[in-house]
Amino acid sequence: MRTYLPEQLNCMEKLKKFKVGALFMQAGTGKTQAAVGIINSRTDIDKVLWFTPCRTKDNLKNELEKCSLKYEVEIVGIETLSNSKKTYYNLITKYSNCKFFCVVDESIKIKNYSLRTQRITNIGKKAKYRLILNGTPLSKNYLDLYNQFNFLSEKIFKMNYNEFYSTFVIEKRVVKNRVIKKRWLDGFTNLDYLFSLISPFIYKSDLKLDVKKETKIIEYRAEDEIIDEYLHLKDIFIEGIKTEDGKLLGNLQKLQHSYAASLNKKIELKELLDRLKNEGVENKKIIIFYKYLVEEELLRNEFSDYTLLSLQKHTFGLNLQDSNIIIFYNISWDYALMEQAESRIYRTGQKEDCRIFYLISTFGLDEMIQDNLRKKENFLCELKQKTIQEFEEKL
């Protein structure tokens, strides 16, 4: 018989009374096993349909075997629903007359109004039971919750997205000649009401380990020619804000990319790795996260003895407790992404203290991203609230 941890038993006890539920359990707390326990408690289903990010499918299959899921399961990549109309129609047809349990793993992937969100929600409506699983349900703000809970049931909010927005969002507007020239999210209201709607269906668990997690920032100064390129791109970016040319996100990426391949950053990385080696740390204990292809190429050419992972591709579903050190060669302004990346090593089963290192530029964008990560805010939301002068000074 499968042995469950106290947190998993508490989760199963709370959610077994509902047909839907949200397991907002930190990575490493065993949410997959808790979900399997809930599914196995049902006696009136024939099959399980489990959506998960494509890159985690093999890992999930192994996890489900370990957790002794007693029902036949079909594992489908979330991203597949964006790209394959055939897969969508096959699933709709297959599960229209089937008593099944539908699970969305890493449900933050369906927070937006994307094609895959619509398709997964449509399939989910045909399920007898539904679960969403995520360690970090918010990557930007409370608006991230709407589509996740709408997948579970339209009866939870009993409102469309516009009604949800007007109920919980504080919005600022710039109006000229009775025409809205600019609008932005300035905060949230009625949060007690929001929490009262969703709390019955949520089980939340934070990670409690006997090992420590230490974070350290290592600053570097990029070369003069890179700073010159950054300042040039900064002028383009600021001009884009003024003219609202619609390319803000792309120009933000260019700003950060401009110093991604800094020679001084590579030197700082080498010095850090040498210090760790002198401490007796084995290479296999160290993971280096990168963001851009130019960084991947540099790292694979010179630091291939270490585990190199992409922030975009490898932040979900990997159990890497055999390592205990992460170095972020670059960072993302997506709080959920960064937290998930750290959770690859800081999770149940980790037996050693963990160390997290951030390589941060001494100028510009990196400092702003760090501020937003600390506040768990979205970078673009801050952009819309600041004056041009404030933003120019910060950059």
Side-chain angles (χ1 to χ4, degrees):
M1 185 176 177
R2 189 74 184 180
T3 301
Y4 291 95
L5 298 172
E7 287 279 16
Q8 295 165 338
L9 290 171
N10 291 340
C11 172
M12 293 157 57
E13 181 64 26
K14 177 177 181 178
L15 295 183
K16 70 180 183 180
K17 67 187 79 167
F18 301 110
K19 289 189 173 183
V20 302
L23 278 65
F24 292 158
M25 300 170 68
Q26 289 289 330
T29 55
K31 60 180 178 290
T32 301
Q33 186 174 332
V36 168
I38 293 170
I39 296 169
N40 283 346
S41 70
R42 306 302 182 187
T43 59
D44 53 349
I45 59 172
D46 303 317
K47 196 172 180 178
V48 178
L49 176 60
W50 200 301
F51 292 105
T52 193
C54 287
R55 58 187 172 274
T56 68
K57 288 172 63 176
D58 291 340
N59 186 64
L60 174 62
K61 182 180 178 181
N62 294 332
E63 284 292 308
L64 293 178
E65 289 175 357
K66 293 177 184 177
C67 294
S68 304
L69 178 63
K70 70 180 185 181
Y71 290 104
E72 178 187 354
V73 60
E74 180 172 5
I75 300 173
V76 178
I78 291 175
E79 297 87 349
T80 306
L81 273 294
S82 300
N83 306 319
S84 176
K85 184 185 295 185
K86 180 179 179 181
T87 300
Y88 170 60
Y89 285 124
N90 285 344
L91 291 173
I92 281 284
T93 302
K94 183 189 299 186
Y95 288 94
S96 288
N97 298 304
C98 175
K99 296 178 181 178
F100 71 103
F101 203 124
C102 189
V103 181
V104 178
D105 212 338
E106 307 301 349
S107 60
I108 197 72
K109 295 288 184 180
I110 61 167
K111 64 175 184 169
N112 297 322
Y113 268 102
S114 61
L115 183 59
R116 69 187 180 204
T117 298
Q118 297 171 38
R119 288 176 170 177
I120 289 174
T121 300
N122 288 340
I123 295 168
K125 288 178 180 178
K126 300 182 179 298
K128 193 172 183 66
Y129 302 100
R130 276 158 259 168
L131 279 179
I132 56 175
L133 281 60
N134 214 89
T136 311
L138 303 179
S139 68
K140 292 184 179 180
N141 52 52
Y142 292 111
L143 294 176
D144 291 347
L145 294 173
Y146 181 80
N147 281 316
Q148 295 181 71
F149 280 88
N150 198 49
F151 162 80
L152 291 180
S153 175
E154 295 175 345
K155 296 178 181 178
I156 294 176
F157 291 133
K158 297 180 183 177
M159 60 183 83
N160 61 37
Y161 182 81
N162 289 334
E163 292 169 333
F164 182 87
Y165 187 95
S166 62
T167 301
F168 300 111
V169 168
I170 300 171
E171 186 178 78
K172 289 284 185 71
R173 298 180 179 183
V174 175
V175 180
K176 191 173 183 179
N177 297 327
R178 298 184 180 180
V179 176
I180 299 175
K181 295 293 185 180
K182 193 175 182 181
R183 56 194 296 179
W184 65 89
L185 188 156
D186 192 52
F188 289 87
T189 186
N190 299 321
L191 290 181
D192 287 344
Y193 176 46
L194 173 60
F195 297 148
S196 73
L197 295 176
I198 64 177
S199 59
F201 309 102
I202 292 176
Y203 185 82
K204 188 177 185 303
S205 173
D206 293 325
L207 187 61
K208 301 178 181 67
L209 295 179
D210 292 330
V211 297
K212 300 175 183 177
K213 182 172 70 169
E214 177 189 4
T215 299
K216 185 175 182 180
I217 292 175
I218 297 176
E219 294 185 334
Y220 69 93
R221 186 185 187 280
E223 304 86 280
D224 289 342
E225 59 270 24
I226 288 180
I227 294 177
D228 289 342
E229 172 66 11
Y230 172 86
L231 293 175
H232 170 68
L233 292 170
K234 170 188 167 182
D235 291 340
I236 295 174
F237 179 68
I238 295 297
E239 186 61 30
I241 299 176
K242 294 176 182 177
T243 59
E244 299 184 0
D245 65 0
K247 299 178 181 178
L248 291 180
L249 186 57
N251 288 335
L252 274 175
Q253 295 283 9
K254 289 178 182 178
L255 272 175
Q256 194 177 21
H257 190 274
S258 67
Y259 51 90
S262 165
L263 175 62
N264 289 343
K265 178 163 69 166
K266 184 180 75 171
I267 292 172
E268 286 291 346
L269 173 63
K270 187 177 185 310
E271 290 179 354
L272 170 60
L273 293 172
D274 287 343
R275 290 197 297 272
L276 293 172
K277 184 176 181 178
N278 290 335
E279 292 176 15
V281 177
E282 299 176 79
N283 291 1
K284 66 181 182 180
K285 293 287 187 179
I286 301 172
I287 296 169
I288 304 174
F289 273 103
Y290 60 86
K291 183 174 182 180
Y292 295 111
L293 290 176
V294 65
E295 296 169 337
E296 179 184 13
E297 183 178 353
L298 179 151
L299 292 169
R300 295 204 182 282
N301 285 339
E302 302 192 37
F303 303 96
S304 58
D305 292 342
Y306 302 90
T307 301
L308 307 176
L309 300 178
S310 164
L311 268 174
Q312 305 302 323
K313 298 177 182 178
H314 302 126
T315 49
F316 295 95
L318 297 177
N319 299 319
L320 303 174
Q321 302 97 316
D322 289 341
S323 302
N324 70 319
I325 294 174
I326 284 178
I327 301 171
F328 285 106
Y329 199 67
N330 211 329
I331 56 177
S332 168
W333 49 73
D334 186 331
Y335 169 77
L337 202 64
M338 297 299 293
E339 185 172 59
Q340 284 290 325
E342 292 187 10
S343 296
R344 295 314 97 212
I345 64 170
Y346 193 69
R347 57 194 298 115
T348 300
Q350 180 59 259
K351 295 179 173 59
E352 301 179 78
D353 290 343
C354 295
R355 286 189 280 176
I356 313 293
F357 296 93
Y358 288 81
L359 285 167
I360 300 297
S361 166
T362 56
F363 69 96
L365 200 57
D366 275 11
E367 182 181 350
M368 295 186 69
I369 295 173
Q370 279 277 295
D371 287 343
N372 279 268
L373 290 175
R374 280 193 289 267
K375 294 183 289 187
K376 303 182 183 180
E377 290 182 358
N378 178 253
F379 187 83
L380 293 180
C381 286
E382 182 180 9
L383 183 156
K384 294 175 183 177
Q385 296 177 54
K386 290 191 177 299
T387 66
I388 299 295
Q389 182 178 356
E390 287 176 318
F391 220 88
E392 196 165 5
E393 289 173 354
K394 272 212 160 190
L395 285 172

